[in-house]
Amino acid sequence: MGRALLVFVFYFLFGALHANTPTIELSSEKKRINCEDHLIYFYKDQDHNITIDDLRSDPTLFQLTEGDRIFESSPEIVWLAFDIKKKSTDSYRNYLIQFGNAHIGHYELFMFNKNGLISKKIQGDNYVYDKREVRYNNFIHNLPDIEEDIINIFIRIDQGGQEVDFPISIYERNHFVQHSLRVKIFHGLFVGLFLITTIVTFSLFFVNKYKYFIHEVVVSLASIMYILSEEGYGMMLFWPNSPYFNGLSRPLFIGIVVVFSLLFTLDFVELGNKKSLFNKISVGAISFYTCFMLFFHPMNILRFRDANNIGYLITFFLFLTLILCVLIALISLWSWVKEKSTDGMVVFFIFFATLISVFVRLLALQGYAWSSDFVQHTGFITRAIHVPLIGGYLIYTAIVIYKRDQDEKIALLEERGRSTQAFIERIDAERQRISMALHDSAGSIITGLRANLQMVKGDYQNISEDNHYKESINLSYRLQEEIRNISNDLLPNSILKLGLPSEIKRLLRDIEKTYKIKTSFEDSENTDFSIDNKIIFHLYYIIREALDNIVKYAEASEILVQYFKYEDEIQLLIEDNGTGFDFEKEKLKSGNGLRNMALRVSWINGSIDIYSEEGTSITINIPLNKKNKVNKE
């Protein structure tokens, strides 16, 4: 009789529990049901001695809470309980249950119907990936195929002393496949963007050689690994059979991110001087932070961590991480406000998001949160803000630096060009002065000398027979001829009087006479204007340089020069039938005739085209404008 009464009381209590257990109703109109939106029973087992039978028989143990509640870090076991109800026409086989948190240390999932236990699933982050019911980055379980309208769900969660959150969702199967595909595409796009940004940033290091590019590459790679770890892909892809590393991967990578972010900030805003106060504080903070990571959490070399103190260690780790984030913000803020640095402003706003993320995570560890989904994905959100923006800003900065360097190089080359042009023009002017001095002054002196000698001849009847007198007269003629030749080489006086074509013909006659090379000249002078002397002088030196190169190196037997002068352009063609040369090799040599010709052509805003294979062809075009033309009127 007593035994029957006990059974009656048990079923009465269980019936009361079942009647009052929060119920989640499935509906074909709802493709996804978030359990956070419903009331759920919970119970904290401090002594780890409560069984599923105890909870099913005593409903007074449970408390009612909102679904988005996060339980603070504690060694307690957390139990959850709720019912799932379907319409009589639906089938449970079309639904599955998913734990949105990819990092639950250990949990047991019990499913009951009115006849008793249907299934029991033991799963969690502490188990190898290959033994999951569904190989997915999060934990997924199929609902049993039963006829009953209600399934009783009990979940026992042991996080090993860490905080517990339970973003649980019930999906219609086909919708889950579509949703899962969209999420994976979304994650893949971001990770791909991170990788591209990282590769470009790494490449920029070889261009600019700044250390902060390497620091940012480490930050980006650690961010990628942190995201993959946080979202569950780490165990899915990289370390499926290493649950221990899966547990320490997230704090390890976020620690690397923060340390190298601080190093990046010091270098990027140019406050990394070893004697600066910020640098000394940063070195001390990084050293202490690194030691804590190695010896306590997450690496735990001293084996100090257990379920009773891990909550305190994680809290202290996050507090140290928050301090480093505050230090990054202060350094960038100082650079922005004190140094008026745009770099400091950008770094401050971007890293401020990381600071908020760590702060929210620290609050969640203490049981404070408004949305468990947001808290769960703060790392992903922060990294999604940081990596593309910092990487994009670094690329922009590198482009600005490269453009500035190129502008400086161009300005330097232009300055050198102007200096060279001024130098050559001074030489040309000096040539003209010396040419005129030789022609006018020295020539007049020699003429006078010869006249005096002739006068001496009248006074002395026999002096004309004297050998010294004859030699002196011959020397005066030879000297006058030599001075005339030197004057013509410096700058022919006839070039201004008779024109450039006449001087070209003289050069070609000298070549025929001296080198026995056949020459041809064609010109056209049918305009009523003359050309600026500056252009004439440059063209003369260009032609002479080209002809000198031909007779010295080309081994040519024929030379053709064409000089056509139009109203808006001068066209000059110089051709030979010599051996030719390798233009690409020759133009790399400094101080050669080709470079001098090209410089002179550029100074008069012309263009030069050289083709050399069997023989050489040089084509020069000089545009004329009103400044370059002088009307004869």
Side-chain angles (χ1 to χ4, degrees), residues 305-363:
R305 186 178 63 206
D306 59 34
N308 293 314
N309 61 27
I310 188 173
Y312 300 107
L313 292 178
I314 294 176
T315 300
F316 193 62
F317 169 77
L318 290 175
F319 179 73
L320 292 178
T321 304
L322 185 64
I323 289 177
L324 262 65
C325 290
V326 171
L327 186 57
I328 292 171
L330 289 176
I331 292 172
S332 55
L333 185 62
W334 172 273
S335 176
W336 175 23
V337 175
K338 191 74 174 179
E339 307 294 335
K340 308 299 182 183
S341 169
T342 304
D343 294 340
M345 178 187 69
V346 172
V347 172
F348 173 77
F349 281 112
I350 293 177
F351 277 96
F352 190 73
T354 303
L355 190 153
I356 296 299
S357 171
V358 175
F359 183 69
V360 170
R361 183 74 177 82
L362 191 59
L363 288 179

Side-chain angles (χ1 to χ4, degrees), residues 389-611:
L389 291 183
I390 285 289
Y393 186 71
L394 285 181
I395 294 171
Y396 166 77
T397 303
I399 292 173
V400 171
I401 293 174
Y402 176 78
K403 187 177 183 301
R404 183 188 64 199
D405 291 344
Q406 291 301 109
D407 291 341
E408 290 177 354
K409 289 179 181 178
I410 292 172
L412 180 60
L413 289 174
E414 290 177 348
E415 181 61 30
R416 287 178 178 175
R418 287 191 293 269
S419 299
T420 304
Q421 182 178 0
F423 177 71
I424 296 296
E425 288 179 348
R426 285 196 299 270
I427 292 177
D428 290 346
E430 190 64 17
R431 281 175 172 174
Q432 295 174 40
R433 189 188 67 80
I434 295 172
S435 175
M436 294 176 64
L438 288 173
H439 184 274
D440 298 335
S441 301
S444 299
I445 293 171
I446 293 171
T447 301
L449 176 62
R450 190 163 54 246
N452 288 334
L453 287 174
Q454 294 292 345
M455 290 174 66
V456 170
K457 178 182 176 182
D459 296 335
Y460 298 92
Q461 298 296 325
N462 297 325
I463 197 171
S464 59
E465 302 299 326
D466 185 79
N467 291 332
H468 293 290
Y469 174 78
K470 292 178 181 180
E471 184 65 25
S472 295
I473 293 295
N474 290 334
L475 285 174
S476 70
Y477 280 107
R478 287 171 57 190
L479 180 58
Q480 192 170 32
E481 182 65 23
E482 188 66 27
I483 289 175
R484 185 182 296 112
N485 291 336
I486 294 173
S487 177
N488 283 333
D489 283 341
L490 289 171
L491 183 68
N493 216 23
S494 60
I495 198 171
L496 298 178
K497 296 178 180 179
L498 303 178
L500 182 59
S502 175
E503 191 57 38
I504 295 173
K505 292 175 184 177
R506 185 190 68 80
L507 290 173
L508 294 177
R509 284 197 303 269
D510 291 343
I511 289 174
E512 282 192 340
K513 179 180 177 181
T514 306
Y515 299 99
K516 310 301 180 186
I517 299 174
K518 182 182 178 181
T519 65
S520 302
F521 178 69
E522 300 175 7
D523 70 329
S524 173
E525 294 192 64
N526 54 0
T527 57
D528 60 350
F529 59 87
S530 60
I531 308 302
D532 191 327
N533 290 344
K534 175 182 175 182
I535 294 179
I536 293 175
F537 293 151
H538 281 302
L539 284 176
Y540 168 73
Y541 289 122
I542 290 169
I543 294 168
R544 200 174 74 174
E545 185 77 53
L547 294 177
D548 286 345
N549 287 339
I550 292 173
V551 298
K552 288 180 182 178
Y553 309 114
E555 301 178 7
S557 61
E558 294 181 9
I559 298 174
L560 169 65
V561 177
Q562 292 179 334
Y563 175 74
F564 297 108
K565 185 170 62 172
Y566 303 106
E567 186 176 356
D568 60 348
E569 185 181 44
I570 293 176
Q571 293 180 354
L572 177 64
L573 173 66
I574 305 170
E575 287 185 342
D576 68 76
N577 64 346
T579 56
F581 59 91
D582 189 335
F583 176 67
E584 294 299 324
K585 290 183 179 179
E586 289 295 325
K587 74 178 183 179
L588 296 177
K589 296 179 181 178
S590 60
N592 59 25
L594 292 177
R595 184 181 295 274
N596 295 336
M597 291 165 58
L599 281 174
R600 288 187 180 273
V601 170
S602 68
W603 292 339
I604 52 179
N605 300 317
S607 63
I608 182 170
D609 181 55
I610 301 176
Y611 175 78

Side-chain angles (χ1 to χ4, degrees), residues 202-222:
F202 184 65
S203 302
L204 291 175
F205 169 74
F206 296 98
V207 177
N208 295 312
K209 302 297 182 182
Y210 293 121
K211 286 192 302 182
Y212 59 74
F213 284 108
I214 294 298
H215 293 153
E216 179 57 24
V217 167
V218 176
V219 170
S220 298
L221 291 176

